Amino acid sequence: MKILANDGISKSGIVALEKAGFEVITTKVAQEQVANFVNKNNISVILVRSATKVRKDIIDACPGLKIVGRGGVGMDNIDVEYAKSKGIHVINTPASSSESVAELVFAHLFTGVRFLHDSNRNMPLEGDTNFDGLKKAYANGLELRGKTLGLIGMGRIGQATAKMAIGLGMKVIYSDTHIPKKDIKVSFFDGQSISISLVSQTQESLFQESDFISLHVPAQDTHVIGEKELEMMKDGVGIVNCARGGAIDEVALVKALDSGKVLFAGLDVYESEPNPEITILMNPKISLTPHIGAATEEAQDRIGTELAHQIISLLSKSLVI
Ligand SMILES: O=C(O)[C@H](O)COP(=O)(O)O
């Protein structure tokens, strides 16, 4: 059986799949050529990340497809129900990247409270005498310790973020209509652990109480944070979005950054991806990354291995012929 890993797959995934007798093709096929390539090469399994879309058109055009695999969490680039209705198995790897995304959330938080994104751009070149001026400009940093982090969404990534926040000495609050309460267990290097019980609260109260807010929601049809929600927040709040672009109204965010209502934003995802708006890209109060929450060697290694195991297991159960 042939597998097209169109957005790449880790070496560990390739090794496991090849060991099981699959041929893994990692050529990047342009979106409009995917159906043609799949049919021409008798591809049975297509593996994607967020870049390649597996929509109805591809599913209809490729009757030989048996499995669509998403190396990652969000399935918004795949017409999941339609694929299933055609007898195609759709799999993803929801647990593999939580720690990596949570660490990126903190990279943005630390960046925001110490202005790293701005100071990196402005450090004086040779002969420039403005070092002291910059020292003054970035003199009002904040500590995360002791501050309140509000998490919108308490799934796996929300929980991993909560653990790190608790480890740093932050107070964690959250809002998630699907998870009314959650015990967060933080384990330390010496084997000891603590467990903290959290209870979901309304988004409104979370907006009012949080010093920093991080989003952990799937793709949305409507904004979770817009003008009205921003108004409810504390003055000088910091906001991080490593979830999905549509969760924040970027026009309202830029306005709130300009007015000083929001101190900084850390964005890994954008309303118009892969070409974020220039007002976002040029904003000195936004720390930017190009949708790299899951882009660590460790996460991709786990993702590749998990995809391989799932594919092999589906076949061994004779679910896919
Ligand atoms: O949903 C996910 O898993 C993340 O958004 C990562 O997407 P990526 O695999 O395209 O990096």
Side-chain angles (χ1 to χ4, degrees):
M1 253 185 185
K2 286 189 190 172
I3 297 178
L4 172 65
N6 206 43
D7 298 328
I9 181 171
S10 68
K11 184 99 188 98
S12 57
I14 295 176
V15 168
L17 287 165
E18 286 182 346
K19 218 168 136 191
F22 291 96
E23 183 185 335
V24 184
I25 300 167
T26 54
T27 319
K28 175 77 183 179
V29 182
Q31 181 69 46
E32 56 282 7
Q33 292 300 324
V34 168
N36 191 25
F37 188 93
V38 164
N39 290 329
K40 226 169 145 184
N41 293 281
N42 294 320
I43 304 286
S44 307
V45 179
I46 181 164
L47 303 179
V48 299
R49 287 177 63 181
S50 59
T52 304
K53 319 289 172 220
V54 186
R55 300 276 176 227
K56 187 174 178 291
D57 57 335
I58 290 191
I59 295 163
D60 283 340
C62 303
L65 268 185
K66 307 286 182 212
I67 301 176
V68 176
R70 162 65 159 113
V73 184
M75 309 266 262
D76 37 312
N77 54 325
I78 301 168
D79 282 341
V80 177
E81 291 314 315
Y82 189 72
K84 285 183 179 167
S85 77
K86 296 284 167 188
I88 296 172
H89 293 270
V90 184
I91 56 176
N92 69 339
T93 59
S96 301
S97 53
S98 310
E99 306 299 324
S100 293
V101 180
E103 288 189 11
L104 185 65
V105 169
F106 278 95
H108 279 295
L109 283 172
F110 280 121
T111 293
V113 291
R114 304 306 289 269
F115 317 106
L116 305 189
H117 51 298
D118 204 47
S119 64
N120 277 333
R121 291 169 186 146
N122 292 331
M123 283 301 281
L125 298 170
E126 207 183 332
D128 190 334
T129 52
N130 197 28
F131 194 89
D132 281 345
L134 286 174
K135 201 167 149 88
K136 268 193 200 135
Y138 304 128
N140 299 323
L142 295 169
E143 292 183 349
L144 294 181
R145 184 180 171 80
K147 304 291 191 313
T148 299
L149 176 65
L151 303 175
I152 308 278
M154 194 37 103
R156 291 180 181 85
I157 299 171
Q159 288 167 42
T161 308
K163 285 183 197 182
M164 288 179 199
I166 291 165
L168 274 172
M170 299 184 85
K171 177 181 173 186
V172 176
I173 59 176
Y174 82 96
S175 180
D176 190 324
T177 46
H178 303 292
I179 304 176
K181 51 188 181 173
K182 191 82 217 167
D183 289 340
I184 302 292
K185 189 175 168 200
V186 184
S187 303
F188 298 98
F189 68 94
D190 62 357
Q192 296 194 55
S193 62
I194 52 163
S195 187
I196 303 220
S197 300
L198 301 178
V199 177
S200 176
Q201 59 188 69
T202 62
Q203 283 192 6
E204 191 171 22
S205 65
L206 181 141
F207 292 142
Q208 289 161 354
E209 292 169 32
S210 299
D211 298 304
F212 306 103
I213 293 169
S214 183
L215 288 155
H216 299 284
V217 292
Q220 308 282 315
D221 291 333
T222 52
H223 297 126
V224 177
I225 294 179
E227 207 162 334
K228 187 168 79 109
E229 291 73 22
L230 286 160
E231 268 165 27
M232 292 179 205
M233 294 178 193
K234 284 187 180 180
D235 291 342
V237 67
I239 302 174
V240 174
N241 186 11
C242 293
R244 281 294 178 270
I248 297 186
D249 177 348
E250 289 177 356
V251 173
L253 177 67
V254 168
K255 249 199 210 164
L257 285 161
D258 288 348
S259 74
K261 173 78 187 175
V262 175
L263 180 67
F264 71 87
L267 301 181
D268 187 47
V269 288
Y270 305 88
E271 280 194 292
S272 57
E273 223 171 281
N275 298 111
E277 296 295 334
I278 195 77
T279 47
I280 295 288
L281 296 178
M282 298 303 289
N283 197 305
K285 294 182 178 176
I286 305 181
S287 163
L288 304 155
T289 47
H291 200 148
I292 53 163
T296 62
E297 289 187 15
E298 293 86 350
Q300 289 306 316
D301 203 47
R302 288 190 291 268
I303 285 169
T305 309
E306 194 183 325
L307 278 178
H309 286 162
Q310 287 192 56
I311 292 165
I312 294 161
S313 156
L314 275 174
L315 286 167
S316 70
K317 286 179 197 150
S318 301
L319 289 173
V320 181
I321 303 155

